[in-house]
């Protein structure tokens, strides 16, 4: 399911502390839109009118050292800018 934001507004999303019971320490991404950033477990995006449409961002969740998994986990994020 996609989140939505009005063009021109700032989209803010708190990312989960765990995925399928695996504790997550942080998130990474290879490509994000302009005017966006990841900070710990939060994603921020200052949208503009030109960003209207559907967007998918392929984040990677990095398990904490206490977790059972040593591999990062895919975390696709879907956003609709209206």
């Amino acid at each position: 399911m996609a989140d939505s934001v009005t063009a021109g507004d700032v989209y803010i999303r708190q990312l989960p502390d765990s995925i399928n019971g695996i504790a997550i320490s942080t998130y990474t991404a290879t490509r994000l839109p302009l005017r966006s950033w990841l900070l710990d477990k939060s994603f921020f995006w200052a949208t503009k009118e030109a960003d209207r449409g559907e967007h998918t961002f392929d984040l990677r969740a990095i398990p904490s050292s206490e977790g059972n998994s040593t591999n990062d986990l895919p975390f696709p994020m879907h956003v609709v800018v209206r």
Side-chain angles (χ1 to χ4, degrees):
M1 183 168 161
D3 289 336
S4 65
V5 62
T6 301
D9 288 348
V10 176
Y11 172 75
I12 301 172
R13 179 165 179 191
Q14 181 67 37
L15 303 171
D17 291 328
S18 67
I19 298 174
N20 297 330
I22 299 170
I24 303 301
S25 65
T26 193
Y27 288 82
T28 64
T30 55
R31 188 177 61 187
L32 292 173
L34 293 175
R35 302 168 314 278
S36 70
W37 60 99
L38 284 168
L39 179 61
D40 297 323
K41 295 177 190 162
S42 298
F43 175 77
F44 304 87
W45 182 18
T47 65
K48 300 261 186 201
E49 290 293 324
D51 296 320
R52 288 183 186 273
E54 296 182 23
H55 304 272
T56 299
F57 308 116
D58 294 319
L59 305 181
R60 304 297 297 180
I62 310 300
S64 67
S65 58
E66 298 87 32
N68 297 333
S69 175
T70 58
N71 297 324
D72 58 344
L73 305 168
F75 187 79
M77 189 170 54
H78 309 284
V79 181
V80 175
V81 181
R82 310 182 304 289

